[in-house]
């Protein structure tokens, strides 16, 4: 299955993390071969001020993905960490501003499409200490397939959309 964990580290010696609203958009295209092309966008909005103890959110972000994930974004060097593929980078956000980062990756054999059906599972692990963040999934499934036990999918565009507030491991 798929896996996602974000680990934010505020290294700016202030309390700006309390004023950050984070939204994660995960776009996944599953090909008929079972491979998946994925794009993860992290949007961080700083709702605070520049008055102490608030200030610039100096954030070192580590993204953990399934171990077979192959990173396609230039400038990001993958590491293996706790049996996962990991990339890390700075995503700093000024008070009143919005920052955005994108990690593109692919996975060969993400799902087994050789039978009459396949399942797509994702585990989202929430960082301890983070109250919650918004997560949006946009999944495009292969042509000729029809979702089962899914509400609100777009059959014309072969797309499933889900929105969830991540407040615990899911």
């Amino acid at each position: 299955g798929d896996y996602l964990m974000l680990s934010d580290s505020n290294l700016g010696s202030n309390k700006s993390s309390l004023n950050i609203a984070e939204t994660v958009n995960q776009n996944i295209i599953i090909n008929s071969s079972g491979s998946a092309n994925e794009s993860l966008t992290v949007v961080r909005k700083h709702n605070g001020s520049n008055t102490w103890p608030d200030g610039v959110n100096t954030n070192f972000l580590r993204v953990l993905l399934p171990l077979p994930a192959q990173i396609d974004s230039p400038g990001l060097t993958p590491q293996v960490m706790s049996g996962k593929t990991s990339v890390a980078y700075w995503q700093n956000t000024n008070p009143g501003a919005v920052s955005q980062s994108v990690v593109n990756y692919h996975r060969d054999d993400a799902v087994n499409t050789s039978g009459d059906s396949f399942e797509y599972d994702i585990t989202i692990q929430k960082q301890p200490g983070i109250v919650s963040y918004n997560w949006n999934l946009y999944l495009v499934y292969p042509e000729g397939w029809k979702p089962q036990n899914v509400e609100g999918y777009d059959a014309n565009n072969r797309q499933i959309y889900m929105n969830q507030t991540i407040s615990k491991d899911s």
Side-chain angles (χ1 to χ4, degrees):
D2 209 343
Y3 176 86
L4 175 64
M5 180 180 181
L6 304 179
S7 178
D8 292 299
S9 298
N10 177 6
L11 302 176
S13 70
N14 55 40
K15 301 298 180 192
S16 59
S17 294
L18 300 172
N19 294 313
I20 297 293
E22 195 165 62
T23 299
V24 176
N25 298 312
Q26 194 164 10
N27 294 289
I28 303 167
I29 299 172
I30 298 176
N31 302 306
S32 59
S33 66
S35 65
N37 296 316
E38 303 193 35
S39 181
L40 183 74
T41 303
V42 179
V43 180
R44 304 183 88 237
K45 181 178 180 190
H46 194 320
N47 294 313
S49 67
N50 213 9
T51 304
W52 190 87
D54 198 3
V56 175
N57 182 256
T58 306
N59 186 57
F60 188 71
L61 176 59
R62 182 172 304 280
V63 179
L64 296 171
L65 304 166
L67 185 57
Q70 298 174 25
I71 305 301
D72 299 323
S73 294
L76 293 180
T77 304
Q79 306 280 325
V80 175
M81 179 181 175
S82 302
K84 306 293 182 208
T85 299
S86 169
V87 293
Y89 54 90
W90 293 98
Q91 185 171 349
N92 302 329
T93 313
N94 291 321
V98 175
S99 66
Q100 178 175 303
S101 63
V102 178
V103 177
N104 294 311
Y105 59 101
H106 69 275
R107 298 183 301 130
D108 298 327
D109 302 321
V111 294
N112 181 358
T113 57
S114 63
D116 291 341
S117 66
F118 69 86
E119 291 186 12
Y120 177 81
D121 294 315
I122 183 167
T123 299
I124 300 175
Q125 190 171 359
K126 186 189 80 63
Q127 176 181 354
I130 299 292
V131 176
S132 66
Y133 63 90
N134 296 317
W135 174 74
N136 300 302
L137 172 72
Y138 304 90
L139 185 141
V140 177
Y141 52 89
E143 194 168 338
W145 293 85
K146 181 181 177 188
Q148 302 290 321
N149 303 317
V150 175
E151 294 180 18
Y153 66 91
D154 178 353
N156 292 332
N157 294 309
R158 301 184 337 267
Q159 187 176 49
I160 297 170
Y161 169 73
M162 292 177 59
N163 173 281
Q164 188 173 345
T165 299
I166 304 298
S167 58
K168 61 181 182 174
D169 294 349
S170 299

